[in-house]
Amino acid sequence: MGVSGTALNFGGDDVVFIPSTNSLNPSMIYIDVWVQFYDIGTYKEIVNKMSPDLLAGYRIFRTIHNTIATVIRTNIGLYSFEEAVVTVNPGIWYHIISIYDGNKLELYIDNLLVTWIPAGGNIIPSSTPLLIGKSNFPEDPGFFYGII
């Protein structure tokens, strides 16, 4: 992993590991990240604090269809956008924001609201670490290849 300005350059097997703390387990969340992908067509994790069984936490990732997805697990249910309407391409910077305010889950790309769904409850705390550039899922680590 290298540094590119104030961003981190992920080479496909790098990860930022942040141990779990109470401050990383909010009941509502605002995640704001800039990303640039080096490739297309594969699943890539951006931010992951989701338990491997999907029973707690939150995450943002790129799907195999080159769209951005966000997922949260609350005490009421699992809420997700598996296929947002914006396709992302390599070599372009994207500003991605995921907001859960206790009433709805929203996804913004380049400051435009691309999708939202009604959602409720508090995000269930996850004891897993916060990972940037990798998933908490052993069967598919989803290593990021690009800049975050």
Side-chain angles (χ1 to χ4, degrees):
M1 178 167 36
V3 176
S4 178
T6 57
L8 296 177
N9 190 3
F10 291 78
D13 61 356
D14 302 307
V15 62
V16 174
F17 178 97
I18 303 168
S20 185
T21 65
N22 287 340
S23 65
L24 295 175
N25 283 307
S27 60
M28 293 173 254
I29 197 158
Y30 178 99
I31 301 171
D32 187 330
V33 63
W34 284 86
V35 299
Q36 184 182 116
F37 300 98
Y38 290 156
D39 64 352
I40 59 172
T42 58
Y43 150 70
K44 298 294 180 194
E45 201 70 38
I46 300 170
V47 175
N48 188 308
K49 183 90 172 68
M50 181 72 68
S51 63
D53 58 10
L54 301 176
L55 295 178
Y58 51 89
R59 66 190 282 231
I60 298 176
F61 60 99
R62 186 190 70 191
T63 71
I64 62 170
H65 304 291
N66 303 313
T67 58
I68 301 300
T70 186
V71 180
I72 61 167
R73 169 65 81 169
T74 73
N75 57 324
I76 295 177
L78 182 71
Y79 301 99
S80 68
F81 305 121
E82 292 297 325
E83 297 296 331
V85 295
V86 175
T87 301
V88 294
N89 295 296
I92 298 170
W93 280 103
Y94 294 96
H95 185 203
I96 300 168
I97 300 171
S98 177
I99 302 172
Y100 174 63
D101 65 5
N103 296 306
K104 62 188 173 302
L105 178 61
E106 299 172 312
L107 179 64
Y108 293 81
I109 298 178
D110 294 334
N111 296 319
L112 297 173
L113 177 64
V114 294
T115 191
W116 71 277
I117 56 171
N122 294 320
I123 296 175
I124 297 173
S126 171
S127 62
T128 60
L130 174 70
L131 300 179
I132 299 172
K134 179 185 178 296
S135 80
N136 279 313
F137 312 122
E139 69 281 356
D140 190 355
F143 282 110
F144 192 86
Y145 184 53
I147 305 170
I148 299 177

